[in-house]
């Protein structure tokens, strides 16, 4: 069953963890999802950096969402690889999820988190499986 953009926005923004992080969907297209979230002390580690686990949650959510958008069935995360390129510091962060390839049973997506200066800080590559 296909998912609408409105359903996806509702899922992303109403999930309890997403509410805690104040995730807000900025854009959804046929193969891209863009989300923003603010810095909060609650999600930080010493040095005013976002905890890596928070980055991982947000990237999994955005990559899963874009994979679900292009699938006619539910999808499950099979694998996610994270690369922490720079400390995630700033007042607000932009997260972009894009489709790399859609296959019969698997979907490949990438996600990126940028700081408020536009610098790429965290990158993820994910594999998602369609569930029949």
């Amino acid at each position: 069953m296909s998912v609408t953009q409105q359903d996806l926005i509702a899922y992303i923004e109403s999930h309890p963890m997403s509410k805690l992080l104040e995730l807000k969907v900025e854009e959804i297209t046929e193969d891209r999802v863009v989300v923003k979230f603010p810095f909060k002390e609650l999600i930080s580690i010493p040095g005013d950096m976002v905890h890596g686990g928070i980055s991982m949650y947000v990237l999994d959510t955005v990559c899963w969402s874009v994979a679900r958008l292009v699938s006619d069935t539910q999808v499950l995360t099979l694998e996610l690889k994270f690369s922490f390129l720079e400390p995630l510091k700033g007042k607000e962060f932009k997260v972009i999820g894009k489709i790399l390839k859609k296959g019969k049973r698997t979907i490949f997506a990438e996600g990126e988190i940028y700081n408020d200066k536009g610098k790429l800080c965290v990158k993820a590559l994910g594999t998602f499986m369609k569930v029949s």
Side-chain angles (χ1 to χ4, degrees):
M1 107 184 101
S2 296
V3 65
T4 67
Q5 289 184 1
Q6 291 76 21
D7 289 340
L8 205 52
I9 290 168
Y11 170 77
I12 293 169
E13 293 184 354
S14 68
H15 188 279
M17 186 66 166
S18 296
K19 282 184 178 181
L20 181 68
L21 296 174
E22 298 178 35
L23 291 185
K24 295 293 175 211
V25 176
E26 293 286 309
E27 172 190 340
I28 293 183
T29 65
E30 63 225 20
D31 61 354
R32 178 178 146 117
V33 173
V34 179
V35 172
K36 287 191 175 179
F37 70 100
F39 177 81
K40 297 167 94 171
E41 188 177 338
L42 178 69
I43 64 173
S44 70
I45 61 172
D48 290 330
M49 294 177 272
V50 175
H51 187 283
I54 299 299
S55 299
M56 295 165 81
Y57 168 79
V58 174
L59 285 165
D60 185 29
T61 298
V62 170
C63 288
W64 175 90
S65 296
V66 75
R68 180 62 182 98
L69 195 59
V70 301
S71 176
D72 54 356
T73 67
Q74 181 60 274
V75 297
L76 297 175
T77 305
L78 285 178
E79 176 184 53
L80 275 171
K81 177 188 182 295
F82 300 94
S83 297
F84 296 90
L85 308 171
E86 296 284 336
L88 189 53
K89 296 176 85 169
K91 293 184 179 184
E92 185 176 60
F93 309 102
K94 183 176 187 176
V95 188
I96 301 171
K98 297 183 269 189
I99 294 299
L100 295 175
K101 182 178 181 194
K102 179 183 167 190
K104 281 185 176 184
R105 296 278 299 150
T106 55
I107 299 166
F108 300 91
E110 71 176 356
E112 299 172 334
I113 303 179
Y114 294 86
N115 66 17
D116 53 8
K117 293 179 173 59
K119 188 168 198 168
L120 176 61
C121 296
V122 188
K123 178 135 180 127
L125 295 174
T127 308
F128 300 84
M129 177 180 71
K130 294 180 183 182
V131 179
S132 358

